[in-house]
Amino acid sequence: QVQLVESGGGSVQPGESLTLSCSVSGNIFVMGWERQRPGRQREDVASITRIGSIEYAESVKGRFTISRDNDKNSILMQMDRLKPEDTAVYYCYAGPIKSDQGTQVTVSA
């Protein structure tokens, strides 16, 4: 059974940074993060494949950086210049496996 373990998140002020991490108990081709902002549907934020192909949502391009350690089956997402609109619950996914728990990111002055 594939398991996801997330960590990171928290409360910061606009312009500050946070790092999210996620590890999976298996070798999955695509891993990434989704988020659910208050009152909105879950949306894709960033993804990365085992061969390093990366995609970002337009709203985070230039501010978020996703990276991957294939040996550890883990990903990191560095979130810089955070904005209040980045406030959301962030969920890790690995292939079709999606986290149910998520981690809260709150950006407010």
Side-chain angles (χ1 to χ4, degrees), residues 51-106:
I51 58 174
S53 296
I54 294 173
E55 293 188 359
Y56 295 104
E58 284 295 327
S59 58
V60 306
K61 280 184 179 178
R63 300 187 299 118
F64 290 12
T65 304
I66 191 169
S67 60
R68 179 167 180 156
D69 185 332
N70 288 328
D71 291 337
K72 297 180 180 179
N73 295 324
S74 65
I75 58 173
L76 292 176
M77 186 163 72
Q78 175 69 31
M79 305 185 294
D80 297 321
R81 302 195 303 280
L82 282 162
K83 302 177 180 180
E85 51 262 44
D86 294 317
T87 295
V89 179
Y90 286 72
Y91 299 90
C92 177
Y93 67 87
I97 310 301
K98 297 189 176 186
S99 165
D100 292 327
Q101 181 175 352
T103 184
Q104 178 70 46
V105 171
T106 302

Side-chain angles (χ1 to χ4, degrees), residues 8-42:
S11 296
V12 296
Q13 295 186 343
E16 295 185 338
S17 300
L18 284 171
T19 302
L20 305 181
S21 65
C22 176
S23 62
V24 61
S25 59
N27 194 340
I28 308 295
F29 186 70
V30 179
M31 295 183 67
W33 292 91
E34 295 177 330
R35 69 184 179 187
Q36 187 162 16
R37 293 185 278 183
R40 300 192 181 191
Q41 293 185 334
R42 196 180 287 199

